[in-house]
Amino acid sequence: MNVHLIIVIVYLTSMVFLGMYFAKREVKNTEDFMIAGRRLPGFILVGTLLATWVGSGTIVGGASFIFQYGPLASIIYFAGGPIGIMILYFIADKARLLKKNTLPEMLENRYGSTTRLVATVFILLAYVGITAYQFIGGGVILSMTTDISPETGTILIAVFVIFLAVTGGLFSVSYTDFVSAILIVFGFLIAVPFLLPKVDGFSGMVSALPDSHVSWSGGLTFPQLLGFFLPTFLLILGDQNMYNRFSAARDEITAKKSTIGFFFGNVIIISLAIFIATTAVVLYPEIQSDTSIFHIAANAVPVPVGSLILVASIALVITTANSFLLSIAGNIVYDIYSRFKGTLTDRQHLRFSRMSVILLGILAYVLGTFFPSVLEVQMYSYTMYGAAITPVVMATFFWKRANTAGALASIITGGMATLFWELVLNKPFDWNSVLFSLPLSVAALIIITLLTSKKKDIASMDTDSTIVHQANDKLPGGR
């Protein structure tokens, strides 16, 4: 048995015990399970935000993009994350103050119960896909570490993720997230001095790259490049996981300040991932693009450093998948089941939450078998969410006139347009579906809102209950 595999097994075993520990000590009710009892401290909140966001999408899908199109184009590809985090800084404390369990619950405050239900459906469609590519990414990592096939590795990761999510809920996810975030930053950082001499420094690395890899476009057209930037940007702005984490913070100030650490941590990891994947282009130009970071970890750095990168990568995939599973399990329980079944006891809530995690995990695995690559399923899932949900979320906080009709039109148009572009038209011009679905979603929101609001007294809009104004009034100083 190789050293990498031994270290991976030790780490995964530790995560199992940590999950069981929090299940026994902290998880007493559904609020503990789903949102960590609303008592996460700041440093844990930063870690769980970071690890939730940096999963297969960065270390597999993102690395694949870097390898194919180069470091400069990848800066544009990744820029949506940091830009989105800066906007979240102005929303985080308001989201915490509302004390909602799911994003559709927040939307119901403004747009009513029908919008809540429709939003839930499209969140499920997107998040099951995101969970699926975490499973696929984990399988790729395990296949690089052991002799098992990517398919078998995917099954093992799926089983492990489901187990951890079922046991400790957000408590176990948050604390293992914190450890994972530290490991990935540390592992990437200590790899740098070993890799620089191998590529003759930064200048040597740049000179060895193909011409297409030293341009800002990476050989992509502007619409293609924009099609990669927008899904990431839109997802982080409306990501239910972000709002779940803000709701889990111990107070509003903690939620707001956590975005600062989140921003800098994200920039550091992105920068290091770009460097490591770019060295793989120089050292191993013939490898499969989505294995670039793991190929470096397995072959170009000392075994302890490589093992640390591999372990941290697997941990990030697992914790990210946990987060998305828990998030949509909350949608099933709070936004669908309890609404139609009436009041549930806390014990029923907790039991059904765990059952939902298992069923959704199985569904995510099945969905993953229909997509050939992490990058492909990543773009589909991000767009489904970003086009269907994010415009309405942003309007909730920043556009007072947005109404129920406009919100419903936007969600349905964005979601259906994504499916139409991907499944019916089969991505014409090789454009990602966001270029088609986002403009339609935003147009539907604006046009339908303006058309239907003409029938109302404009003065009545000023008294509409809006989340952003409710929250502002309650924050210290009316911020």
Side-chain angles (χ1 to χ4, degrees):
M1 185 178 291
N2 62 47
V3 176
H4 291 315
L5 181 56
I6 293 173
I7 295 176
V8 167
I9 291 174
V10 169
Y11 186 80
L12 294 182
T13 303
S14 301
M15 290 180 72
V16 169
F17 283 111
L18 188 61
M20 294 172 65
Y21 168 78
F22 279 108
K24 183 177 180 179
R25 174 183 152 174
E26 301 286 356
V27 181
K28 308 300 182 185
N29 53 49
T30 310
E31 187 171 89
D32 291 337
F33 185 78
M34 299 302 302
I35 48 176
R38 303 191 196 277
R39 54 182 187 269
L40 289 183
F43 68 100
I44 296 296
L45 194 58
V46 170
T48 190
L49 285 167
L50 189 57
T52 297
W53 183 245
V54 181
S56 283
T58 298
I59 58 181
V60 180
S64 177
F65 184 94
I66 299 163
F67 194 91
Q68 294 178 68
Y69 305 112
L72 296 181
S74 67
I75 292 174
I76 298 174
Y77 169 82
F78 282 116
I83 295 172
I85 294 169
M86 287 190 285
I87 297 173
L88 288 178
Y89 173 82
F90 299 99
I91 297 174
D93 52 351
K94 301 174 180 62
R96 170 60 179 83
L97 190 63
L98 292 169
K99 296 182 179 180
K100 300 297 183 182
N101 296 303
T102 67
L103 189 63
E105 271 192 290
M106 292 185 185
L107 297 180
E108 185 181 31
N109 260 27
R110 176 76 176 273
Y111 307 113
S113 58
T114 302
T115 302
R116 177 181 180 179
L117 181 61
V118 173
T120 298
V121 171
F122 284 100
I123 289 173
L124 289 171
L125 287 172
Y127 276 19
V128 169
I130 295 174
T131 304
Y133 79 69
Q134 302 302 324
F135 292 168
I136 298 170
V140 171
I141 301 170
L142 281 183
S143 70
M144 293 289 296
T145 311
T146 69
D147 294 328
I148 65 175
S149 67
E151 293 76 19
T152 302
T154 299
I155 294 173
L156 292 176
I157 290 294
V159 171
F160 194 80
V161 165
I162 293 169
F163 175 79
L164 279 181
V166 165
T167 53
L170 189 57
F171 266 114
S172 65
V173 169
S174 297
Y175 281 85
T176 54
D177 276 355
F178 176 72
V179 175
S180 300
I182 292 175
L183 284 178
I184 198 67
V185 171
F186 184 63
F188 278 6
L189 275 175
I190 61 176
V192 172
F194 293 103
L195 294 174
L196 276 175
K198 291 180 179 290
V199 294
D200 297 325
F202 288 107
S203 59
M205 179 178 68
V206 172
S207 63
L209 291 172
D211 291 341
S212 63
H213 283 53
V214 291
S215 70
W216 283 99
S217 69
L220 296 168
T221 64
F222 176 75
Q224 288 175 326
L225 194 59
L226 185 63
F228 280 108
F229 164 80
L230 284 174
T232 304
F233 174 65
L234 294 170
L235 176 66
I236 198 167
L237 282 181
D239 187 357
Q240 181 171 244
N241 278 300
M242 301 296 108
Y243 296 93
N244 286 154
R245 296 315 190 267
F246 298 147
S247 292
R250 62 186 176 191
D251 54 46
E252 292 78 40
I253 295 175
T254 300
K256 192 178 187 73
K257 288 184 175 179
S258 70
T259 59
I260 300 173
F262 182 22
F263 173 85
F264 287 107
N266 187 234
V267 169
I268 291 170
I269 291 178
I270 288 171
S271 303
L272 293 171
I274 291 173
F275 169 73
I276 293 173
T278 304
T279 62
V281 177
V282 175
L283 297 176
Y284 311 106
E286 303 301 322
I287 64 173
Q288 189 174 329
S289 62
D290 57 4
T291 66
S292 54
I293 287 179
F294 314 119
H295 209 87
I296 290 291
N299 300 285
V301 294
V303 170
V305 179
S307 297
L308 184 59
I309 293 174
L310 290 170
V311 165
S313 298
I314 291 174
L316 285 175
V317 166
I318 289 171
T319 54
T320 300
N322 280 340
S323 297
F324 281 96
L325 270 183
L326 284 172
S327 185
I328 51 179
N331 293 130
I332 294 291
V333 174
Y334 289 110
D335 300 319
I336 297 178
Y337 188 80
S338 62
R339 291 181 61 81
F340 291 101
K341 289 292 183 179
T343 304
L344 299 176
T345 67
D346 199 71
R347 187 172 181 178
Q348 289 174 318
H349 262 290
L350 187 56
R351 183 173 66 250
F352 194 71
S353 296
R354 286 174 163 149
M355 290 172 55
S356 299
V357 166
I358 295 172
L359 294 175
L360 290 166
I362 294 172
L363 179 61
Y365 169 76
V366 172
L367 178 65
T369 62
F370 290 95
F371 288 86
S373 73
V374 170
L375 190 58
E376 183 174 339
V377 69
Q378 179 184 354
M379 288 299 103
Y380 153 76
S381 301
Y382 283 15
T383 299
M384 171 59 72
Y385 195 94
I389 303 299
T390 299
V392 174
V393 174
M394 291 297 98
T396 300
F397 286 99
F398 298 117
W399 191 33
K400 191 175 181 180
R401 288 189 64 177
N403 63 14
T404 300
L408 283 171
S410 177
I411 294 171
I412 295 171
T413 300
M416 297 306 295
T418 299
L419 293 173
F420 183 73
W421 188 266
E422 294 276 345
L423 302 180
V424 178
L425 299 183
N426 198 24
K427 297 176 66 173
F429 316 114
D430 200 28
W431 288 3
N432 284 325
S433 51
V434 68
L435 299 176
F436 175 70
S437 56
L438 178 64
L440 292 177
S441 177
V442 173
L445 174 65
I446 295 172
I447 293 171
I448 299 302
T449 291
L450 295 179
L451 288 175
T452 55
S453 65
K454 287 180 181 179
K455 300 175 183 179
K456 298 179 180 180
D457 181 7
I458 297 300
S460 69
M461 290 183 180
D462 295 332
T463 61
D464 263 357
S465 71
T466 64
I467 288 179
V468 64
H469 283 78
Q470 288 175 359
N472 279 340
D473 289 342
K474 295 178 183 178
L475 286 168
R479 286 173 296 157

